[in-house]
Amino acid sequence: MAGKTSKISPEQQKRAAAEEMWLKYYNKVLFEKGLITERERNLMSNKIDARTAKSLSR
């Protein structure tokens, strides 16, 4: 993304970190309660990681 020089503010970084923690927490709880499979948990974890990386790279 040439020409894009926007910085991520500390507030945006904190928000993204908190969001990632909550999503991973709920993903773990769903797996532990048997509501999702290990495969689904792993797929969701990968999606959470990709989403967080995308939001921090803006």
Side-chain angles (χ1 to χ4, degrees), residues 16-52:
E19 184 177 274
E20 178 184 13
M21 288 188 321
W22 278 111
L23 290 171
K24 286 187 175 188
Y25 167 77
Y26 285 119
N27 192 37
K28 178 182 172 200
V29 169
L30 290 171
F31 175 69
E32 288 174 351
K33 293 199 178 276
L35 298 172
I36 61 174
T37 65
E38 183 176 6
R39 182 177 185 277
E40 290 169 321
R41 179 196 63 177
N42 293 341
L43 287 170
M44 188 57 66
S45 183
N46 289 339
K47 288 181 180 186
I48 293 166
D49 290 340
R51 185 174 193 262
T52 302

Side-chain angles (χ1 to χ4, degrees), residues 1 8 16 47-58:
M1 297 193 177
I8 305 300
K47 288 181 180 186
I48 293 166
D49 290 340
R51 185 174 193 262
T52 302
K54 182 179 176 183
S55 70
L56 290 176
S57 69
R58 290 184 196 164

